[in-house]
Amino acid sequence: MDRIMKLRNISRRGRGERAREPSLSRSEAFDVLSNQRRRFVLHILKQRENSVYLREIAEQVAAWESGKQVEGLC
């Protein structure tokens, strides 16, 4: 999860914020991006301006993986 937070900080640089943590190496970035669930999480984090609950992330990822809406998961 540390790598995902680093990527989130890096991705926000374009919004005028500076990353507080060092950049990922190319190898670390490819490792993080090699997993579809991690890419889903990064997509969600990039879309949100504020904090997001882990439950919301898990529900959205489950919905995307199952091809359903979040409301249709239960």
Side-chain angles (χ1 to χ4, degrees):
M1 201 62 162
D2 240 6
R3 293 181 192 160
I4 291 175
M5 294 310 296
K6 286 182 186 178
L7 278 178
R8 183 176 187 196
N9 286 338
I10 292 167
S11 72
R12 288 185 171 227
R13 284 185 192 170
R15 297 182 187 169
E17 294 182 24
R18 292 184 57 122
R20 292 189 177 108
E21 297 183 33
S23 299
L24 290 175
S25 71
R26 177 176 263 178
S27 176
E28 289 174 316
F30 281 121
D31 183 50
V32 169
L33 296 172
S34 69
N35 181 288
Q36 185 178 32
R37 282 188 178 164
R38 291 179 189 156
R39 291 192 305 270
F40 283 155
V41 170
L42 289 172
H43 181 71
I44 293 166
L45 294 175
K46 184 142 173 78
Q47 288 180 334
R48 303 287 178 102
E49 290 292 324
N50 298 319
S51 299
V52 58
Y53 289 105
L54 182 57
R55 179 183 177 131
E56 293 176 56
I57 294 171
E59 288 173 344
Q60 184 60 65
V61 169
W64 285 335
E65 289 179 340
S66 66
K68 299 179 181 179
Q69 297 292 320
V70 172
E71 297 80 22
L73 289 176
C74 297

